[in-house]
Amino acid sequence: MCQHQPPCPTAESADRESARLMASHPEQGWSLLCNGVLVFEDTGELLPDGQIIAPHRPVGAGRVVTAA
């Protein structure tokens, strides 16, 4: 699918999220990567073969730290 040089990581690769952005629809909460992966704003993913990757936000995301 990817025509870039060097090619983007495949949808099966551990670093699949580093593929180039092909389409972005932040108002709908999703983006399409060059490797066919749909990435959602909650960090979930839909792979081209239909496999679902559950959201995987880092622990502590959303916490606000303020200085005293």
Side-chain angles (χ1 to χ4, degrees):
M1 183 173 205
C2 178
Q3 303 298 316
H4 304 110
Q5 290 300 325
C8 292
T10 66
E12 295 79 29
S13 298
D15 61 344
R16 64 180 154 259
E17 295 173 14
S18 64
R20 288 191 186 183
L21 188 65
M22 299 303 291
S24 178
H25 293 277
E27 72 282 357
Q28 296 176 357
W30 63 272
S31 297
L32 175 65
L33 303 180
C34 182
N35 55 10
V37 174
L38 280 172
V39 180
F40 297 95
E41 68 181 11
D42 69 354
T43 69
E45 300 172 13
L46 179 61
L47 303 184
D49 66 0
Q51 182 181 356
I52 297 169
I53 307 297
H56 47 278
R57 288 189 171 130
V59 175
R63 291 187 184 174
V64 177
V65 178
T66 57

